[in-house]
Amino acid sequence: MTEGGSNAMWGGRFSAGPDAIMEAINASIGFDRRLSDQDIRGSKAHAAMLAQQGILTQADAEAIRDGLDKVKAEIDAGDFAFSTALEDIHMNVESRLRELIGAAAGRLHTARSRNDQVATDFRLWVRDQCDAALTGIATLQRALVAQAESGADWVMPGFTHLQTAQPVTWGHHMMAYVEMLARDAGRFGDARARMNECPLGAAALAGTSFPIDRSATAAALGFDRPMANSLDAVSDRDFALEFLAASSICALHLSRLAEELVIWSSAQFRFVVLSDRFSTGSSIMPQKKNPDAAELIRAKIGRIVGASMALLVVMKGLPLAYSKDMQEDKEQVFDAADTLMLVLAAMDGMVRDMTANRDALEASASSGFSTATDLADWLVRELGLPFREAHHVTGALVALAEGRGVDLPDLNLADMQGVHPEIRAEVFDVLGVRNSVASRTSYGGTAPARVREQVARWKEALA
């Protein structure tokens, strides 16, 4: 379209088209072309329904269907000429359809609006992204379960405040992320179920006087039902916000694991070795092996959380029904979805390739008075001390060991009896880290037997 010319797709309302600045701010084809598949699916379902209801002739419906197939083929092959002057994916597809089949193309838009059309396209796209996220999460869970199974009885330090707390098992630590990701999957599944209602047929905002069958188009597009209120159908993007919220929480979990991999792969920890495929070197320090993939995962959560905040701000003050502000709903969601799938794949690769250093894990678990709680529990269980008194006795023994530069198991019986005379030699049975983790047999505990039970449960669930 030349500057100053009219846009035929708008009809006769405007005598002059937008200038270059208005065209640039108004057009969305630069990003909403990603909805081409969903747009064509929705149009085919709409045309079939119109023919079924006698609103279109079968001949027109067949011409529209065949023409849309040709348009899709051109887009898939990269041969489609997208036009900024035509603003969006809907107008681009319809304009090309008119070139292919003539006047019948103009009948496709009967009983619908771009408002319900884009709401339908976007729901279909976000629904597909929920499915992709569920697949990516399950793949990563399998990698974590494999790590857990191989190290179900490997002892490592458990931390609070990044200080040694109590011994746990490698398998138990890996399975913690499996559980987090399961809740992430639940959020995507819940979001998908809620968004699976079809806006098509709501038209601009008030519905239509044509005798359409909204249940037919909903079923054709895999929705559970049509949306019950036409205003709501075209004016809300809570389905996209819910997807972004689920993505943000999932990305947060991935970022926490990424942070641990950065720490664990350092020379100071040596808990894991990351593969060369997910590490880089230094341009000046030849000894360096940097966990760049983990660091980038840790950083990219900002894009996803930022997308969620951006769309919340776009939607926060909009009156019903549609406002042009809502054109800003897609770029953020597209970027967040792409980023989520990338970080899920990267984390899956790192987890599958990484090697845990069993000796370093156990050596670290055996330091830092990690069995102090086991000692306090023994004092309660065997000597009948109130826990607060047992806590005080244990603290005194830790202070004694720390003053001597040794760990609790390195104290002798006389040292311990000097703090509390009733302590017996059996106390040393609970001061080993392997005994400690083996004793934590409560449901959800770190004992290898409990870990293997959870591994078996998840292997079956993810099969």
Side-chain angles (χ1 to χ4, degrees), residues 155-158 164 166-168 271 359-371 407 433:
V155 183
M156 67 175 289
T164 299
Q166 293 175 265
V168 296
F271 284 4
D359 292 339
L361 290 168
E362 185 160 345
S364 183
S366 300
S367 65
F369 312 105
S370 65
T371 56
D407 211 334
V433 291

Side-chain angles (χ1 to χ4, degrees), residues 96 102 127 152 214 221 229 241 294 314 320 336 340 358 362 373 409:
R96 179 58 179 147
R127 189 180 72 180
R214 293 190 63 207
L221 294 170
N229 184 284
L241 287 166
V314 167
L320 300 184
L340 179 65
R358 182 177 185 177
E362 185 160 345
T373 304

Side-chain angles (χ1 to χ4, degrees), residues 186-316:
R187 277 180 279 272
F188 283 112
D190 290 346
R192 190 194 193 285
R194 257 185 299 280
M195 73 178 65
N196 205 34
E197 296 183 336
C198 186
L200 197 58
L205 75 162
T208 178
S209 59
F210 288 95
I212 61 173
D213 183 349
R214 293 190 63 207
S215 294
T217 47
L221 294 170
F223 289 106
D224 293 332
R225 63 192 70 84
M227 294 186 73
N229 184 284
S230 60
L231 284 167
D232 176 45
V234 299
S235 67
D236 208 348
R237 294 296 185 266
D238 57 352
F239 65 94
L241 287 166
E242 195 166 5
F243 169 76
L244 290 174
S247 298
S248 296
I249 298 171
C250 182
L252 181 148
H253 288 148
L254 297 177
S255 180
R256 296 183 72 182
L257 178 53
E259 168 71 1
E260 294 201 309
L261 294 183
V262 170
I263 294 170
W264 291 351
S265 62
S266 68
Q268 289 72 27
F269 274 75
R270 298 185 302 108
F271 284 4
V272 300
V273 176
L274 300 178
S275 75
D276 292 346
R277 294 199 310 145
F278 294 96
S279 306
T280 65
S282 165
S283 62
I284 190 172
M285 295 169 285
Q287 83 281 10
K288 295 294 294 296
K289 184 176 181 180
N290 299 322
D292 282 9
E295 292 171 352
L296 287 166
I297 289 172
R298 190 175 59 184
K300 283 182 180 294
I301 184 178
R303 299 174 73 111
I304 298 174
V305 174
S308 182
M309 293 300 102
L311 185 53
L312 281 167
V313 172
V314 167
M315 297 300 300
K316 72 174 180 63

Side-chain angles (χ1 to χ4, degrees), residues 63-64 67-68 71 93-102 105 108:
I64 288 169
L68 288 170
V71 173
V93 169
E94 186 176 331
S95 177
R96 179 58 179 147
L97 183 65
R98 179 175 293 175
E99 292 173 356
L100 290 170
I101 69 171
L108 171 60

Side-chain angles (χ1 to χ4, degrees), residues 7 20 23-24 26-30 33 81-88 92:
N7 187 334
E23 183 176 290
N26 192 51
S28 60
I29 189 60
R33 66 178 64 187
F82 291 100
S83 168
T84 303
L86 292 171
E87 296 182 14
D88 56 36
N92 271 264

Side-chain angles (χ1 to χ4, degrees), residues 172-190:
H172 194 56
H173 202 113
M174 294 294 101
M175 293 304 294
Y177 284 103
V178 173
E179 295 291 338
M180 294 181 208
L181 289 165
R183 293 191 296 277
D184 292 328
R187 277 180 279 272
F188 283 112
D190 290 346

